[in-house]
Amino acid sequence: MWDSFWNFLWSTIVIFAFIAYLMILFNILTDLFWRDHQTSGFVKAVWVIFLILVPYLTALVYLVARGQGMAKRGRDSAAAAQQETADYIRQAVGRSPTEEIRHAKELLDSGTISQPEFDSLKVKALT
């Protein structure tokens, strides 16, 4: 199989091209089925059929024809995931010590709690 350097080099190029195609294929399928909600099911099916029948040419055409939209949908998806993560972290952590003290001060000013209760809430927020 690898009798010479050139056979080895050719095999390496073929394997690289196949792995690169698989990465592009998964990106295209992800874009089609998870990010692109405006394309009809029929058009998605046509893209998949052509990806199977004429793989490299179809992938190239998809990237040229829909590359801008694909990049935008990817950015939007990443931004949405980042926002969801930030919201979850804020919700899980709760209020910061500064916010807790500010809230306790509002309660003290409104007369809902006494000064000793405010002091204990302040100590609790800072620890």
Coordinates of all heavy atoms in Angstrom, one line a residue, residues 20-37 39 41 43-52 55 58-59 62-63 66 70 73:
A20 N -11.7 16.6 5.9 CA -12.2 17.9 5.7 C -13.6 17.9 5.1 O -14.4 18.8 5.6 CB -11.2 18.6 4.7
Y21 N -13.9 17.0 4.2 CA -15.3 16.9 3.7 C -16.2 16.6 4.8 O -17.3 17.2 4.9 CB -15.4 15.9 2.6 CG -16.8 15.7 2.2 CD1 -17.5 16.6 1.5 CD2 -17.5 14.5 2.5 CE1 -18.9 16.5 1.2 CE2 -18.8 14.3 2.2 CZ -19.5 15.3 1.6 OH -20.8 15.1 1.3
L22 N -15.9 15.7 5.7 CA -16.8 15.3 6.8 C -17.1 16.5 7.7 O -18.2 16.7 8.1 CB -16.2 14.1 7.6 CG -16.3 12.8 6.9 CD1 -15.6 11.7 7.8 CD2 -17.7 12.4 6.6
M23 N -16.0 17.3 8.0 CA -16.2 18.5 8.8 C -17.1 19.5 8.1 O -18.1 20.0 8.8 CB -14.9 19.1 9.1 CG -14.0 18.2 10.0 SD -12.4 18.9 10.3 CE -12.7 20.4 11.2
I24 N -16.9 19.7 6.8 CA -17.8 20.6 6.1 C -19.2 20.1 6.0 O -20.2 20.8 6.2 CB -17.2 20.9 4.7 CG1 -15.9 21.7 4.8 CG2 -18.2 21.6 3.8 CD1 -15.1 21.7 3.5
L25 N -19.3 18.7 5.8 CA -20.7 18.1 5.7 C -21.4 18.3 7.0 O -22.6 18.7 7.0 CB -20.5 16.6 5.4 CG -21.8 15.8 5.4 CD1 -22.7 16.2 4.2 CD2 -21.5 14.3 5.4
F26 N -20.8 18.1 8.2 CA -21.5 18.2 9.4 C -21.8 19.7 9.7 O -22.9 20.0 10.2 CB -20.6 17.7 10.6 CG -20.5 16.2 10.6 CD1 -19.3 15.6 10.8 CD2 -21.6 15.4 10.3 CE1 -19.2 14.2 10.7 CE2 -21.5 14.0 10.3 CZ -20.3 13.4 10.5
N27 N -21.0 20.6 9.3 CA -21.3 22.0 9.4 C -22.5 22.4 8.5 O -23.4 23.1 8.9 CB -20.2 22.9 9.0 CG -19.3 23.2 10.2 OD1 -19.7 23.3 11.3 ND2 -18.0 23.4 9.9
I28 N -22.6 21.9 7.3 CA -23.7 22.1 6.4 C -25.0 21.5 7.0 O -26.0 22.2 7.0 CB -23.4 21.6 5.0 CG1 -22.3 22.4 4.3 CG2 -24.7 21.6 4.1 CD1 -21.8 21.9 3.0
L29 N -24.9 20.3 7.4 CA -26.1 19.6 8.0 C -26.6 20.4 9.2 O -27.8 20.5 9.4 CB -25.9 18.2 8.3 CG -25.6 17.3 7.0 CD1 -25.3 15.9 7.4 CD2 -26.9 17.3 6.1
T30 N -25.7 20.8 10.1 CA -26.1 21.5 11.3 C -26.7 22.9 10.9 O -27.8 23.2 11.4 CB -24.8 21.8 12.1 OG1 -24.2 20.6 12.5 CG2 -25.2 22.7 13.4
D31 N -26.2 23.5 9.9 CA -26.8 24.8 9.4 C -28.2 24.5 8.8 O -29.1 25.3 9.1 CB -25.9 25.4 8.4 CG -26.4 26.8 7.9 OD1 -26.6 27.7 8.8 OD2 -26.7 26.9 6.7
L32 N -28.3 23.5 8.0 CA -29.6 23.2 7.4 C -30.7 22.9 8.4 O -31.8 23.4 8.4 CB -29.4 22.0 6.4 CG -29.1 22.4 5.0 CD1 -28.9 21.1 4.2 CD2 -30.2 23.2 4.3
F33 N -30.4 21.9 9.3 CA -31.4 21.4 10.2 C -31.6 22.0 11.5 O -32.6 21.9 12.2 CB -31.2 19.9 10.3 CG -31.4 19.1 9.0 CD1 -30.4 18.7 8.3 CD2 -32.7 19.0 8.5 CE1 -30.6 18.0 7.1 CE2 -32.9 18.4 7.3 CZ -31.9 17.9 6.6
W34 N -30.5 22.7 12.1 CA -30.7 23.3 13.4 C -30.7 24.8 13.4 O -31.2 25.4 14.3 CB -29.6 22.8 14.3 CG -29.8 21.4 14.8 CD1 -30.6 21.1 15.9 CD2 -29.4 20.2 14.2 NE1 -30.6 19.7 16.0 CE2 -29.9 19.1 15.0 CE3 -28.6 19.9 13.1 CZ2 -29.7 17.8 14.7 CZ3 -28.4 18.5 12.8 CH2 -28.9 17.5 13.6
R35 N -30.1 25.4 12.4 CA -30.0 26.9 12.5 C -30.9 27.6 11.5 O -31.3 28.7 11.7 CB -28.5 27.3 12.2 CG -27.6 26.9 13.3 CD -26.2 27.4 13.0 NE -25.2 26.8 14.0 CZ -24.0 26.6 13.7 NH1 -23.5 26.8 12.5 NH2 -23.2 26.1 14.6
D36 N -31.1 27.0 10.3 CA -31.9 27.6 9.3 C -33.4 27.2 9.4 O -33.7 26.1 9.0 CB -31.3 27.2 7.9 CG -32.0 28.0 6.8 OD1 -32.8 28.9 7.1 OD2 -31.7 27.7 5.6
H37 N -34.2 28.1 9.9 CA -35.6 27.8 10.1 C -36.4 28.4 9.0 O -37.7 28.2 9.0 CB -36.0 28.3 11.5 CG -35.2 27.8 12.6 ND1 -35.3 26.5 13.0 CD2 -34.4 28.4 13.4 CE1 -34.5 26.3 14.0 NE2 -33.9 27.5 14.3
T39 N -35.7 27.9 5.5 CA -35.7 27.0 4.3 C -36.7 25.9 4.5 O -36.8 25.3 5.6 CB -34.3 26.4 4.1 OG1 -33.4 27.5 4.0 CG2 -34.2 25.6 2.9
G41 N -38.6 22.2 4.0 CA -38.2 20.8 4.1 C -37.8 20.3 2.8 O -36.8 19.5 2.7
V43 N -36.5 21.8 0.1 CA -35.2 22.4 -0.3 C -34.1 21.7 0.6 O -33.0 21.4 0.0 CB -35.2 23.9 -0.1 CG1 -33.8 24.5 -0.4 CG2 -36.2 24.5 -1.1
K44 N -34.4 21.5 1.8 CA -33.4 20.8 2.7 C -33.1 19.4 2.1 O -32.0 18.9 2.1 CB -33.8 20.8 4.1 CG -33.8 22.1 4.8 CD -34.4 22.0 6.2 CE -34.4 23.4 6.8 NZ -34.8 23.4 8.2
A45 N -34.2 18.7 1.8 CA -34.1 17.4 1.2 C -33.3 17.3 -0.1 O -32.4 16.5 -0.3 CB -35.4 16.7 1.0
V46 N -33.5 18.3 -0.9 CA -32.7 18.4 -2.2 C -31.2 18.6 -1.9 O -30.4 18.0 -2.5 CB -33.3 19.6 -3.1 CG1 -32.4 19.8 -4.2 CG2 -34.7 19.2 -3.6
W47 N -30.9 19.5 -0.9 CA -29.5 19.7 -0.6 C -28.9 18.4 -0.1 O -27.8 18.1 -0.5 CB -29.4 20.8 0.5 CG -29.4 22.2 0.0 CD1 -30.3 23.1 0.2 CD2 -28.3 22.8 -0.8 NE1 -30.0 24.3 -0.4 CE2 -28.7 24.1 -1.1 CE3 -27.1 22.4 -1.4 CZ2 -28.0 25.0 -1.8 CZ3 -26.4 23.3 -2.1 CH2 -26.8 24.6 -2.3
V48 N -29.6 17.7 0.7 CA -29.1 16.4 1.3 C -28.8 15.4 0.2 O -27.8 14.7 0.1 CB -30.0 15.9 2.4 CG1 -29.6 14.5 2.8 CG2 -29.9 16.8 3.6
I49 N -29.8 15.3 -0.7 CA -29.7 14.4 -1.9 C -28.4 14.7 -2.7 O -27.6 13.8 -3.0 CB -30.9 14.3 -2.7 CG1 -32.1 13.7 -1.9 CG2 -30.7 13.6 -4.0 CD1 -33.4 13.8 -2.6
F50 N -28.3 16.0 -3.0 CA -27.1 16.4 -3.8 C -25.8 16.2 -3.0 O -24.8 15.9 -3.6 CB -27.2 17.8 -4.3 CG -28.0 17.9 -5.6 CD1 -29.4 18.3 -5.5 CD2 -27.5 17.5 -6.8 CE1 -30.1 18.3 -6.7 CE2 -28.2 17.6 -7.9 CZ -29.5 18.0 -7.9
L51 N -25.8 16.4 -1.7 CA -24.7 16.1 -0.9 C -24.2 14.7 -0.9 O -23.1 14.3 -0.8 CB -24.9 16.6 0.6 CG -24.8 18.0 0.9 CD1 -25.3 18.3 2.3 CD2 -23.3 18.5 0.8
I52 N -25.2 13.8 -1.1 CA -24.9 12.3 -1.2 C -24.4 12.0 -2.6 O -23.5 11.3 -2.8 CB -26.1 11.5 -0.8 CG1 -26.4 11.7 0.7 CG2 -25.9 10.0 -1.1 CD1 -27.8 11.2 1.1
P55 N -20.9 14.9 -3.7 CA -20.6 15.5 -2.4 C -19.7 16.8 -2.4 O -20.1 17.8 -1.9 CB -19.9 14.4 -1.7 CG -19.5 13.4 -2.7 CD -20.5 13.6 -3.9
T58 N -21.3 19.8 -4.4 CA -22.5 20.3 -3.7 C -22.0 21.1 -2.4 O -22.6 22.2 -2.1 CB -23.5 19.2 -3.3 OG1 -23.8 18.5 -4.4 CG2 -24.7 19.8 -2.6
A59 N -21.1 20.6 -1.7 CA -20.6 21.3 -0.5 C -20.0 22.6 -0.9 O -20.2 23.7 -0.3 CB -19.5 20.4 0.2
Y62 N -22.8 25.0 -1.9 CA -23.5 25.4 -0.6 C -22.7 26.5 0.1 O -23.3 27.5 0.5 CB -23.7 24.2 0.3 CG -24.6 24.6 1.5 CD1 -26.0 24.4 1.4 CD2 -24.1 25.1 2.7 CE1 -26.8 24.7 2.5 CE2 -24.9 25.4 3.7 CZ -26.2 25.2 3.6 OH -27.0 25.6 4.7
L63 N -21.4 26.3 0.2 CA -20.6 27.3 0.9 C -20.6 28.6 0.2 O -20.6 29.7 0.8 CB -19.2 26.7 1.1 CG -19.1 25.6 2.1 CD1 -17.7 25.0 2.1 CD2 -19.6 26.0 3.5
R66 N -24.6 30.0 0.1 CA -25.2 30.2 1.4 C -24.2 30.5 2.5 O -24.5 30.6 3.7 CB -26.1 29.1 1.8 CG -27.2 28.8 0.8 CD -28.0 27.7 1.2 NE -28.4 27.8 2.6 CZ -29.7 27.9 3.0 NH1 -30.6 28.0 2.1 NH2 -30.0 28.0 4.3
M70 N -24.9 31.3 6.4 CA -24.4 30.3 7.3 C -23.6 30.9 8.4 O -23.7 30.6 9.6 CB -23.6 29.3 6.5 CG -23.2 28.1 7.2 SD -22.3 27.0 6.1 CE -21.9 25.7 7.1
R73 N -26.0 32.9 10.8 CA -26.7 32.0 11.7 C -25.8 31.4 12.7 O -26.2 31.2 13.9 CB -27.4 30.9 10.8 CG -28.6 31.4 10.0 CD -29.3 30.3 9.3 NE -28.5 29.6 8.3 CZ -28.4 30.1 7.0 NH1 -29.1 31.1 6.7 NH2 -27.7 29.4 6.1

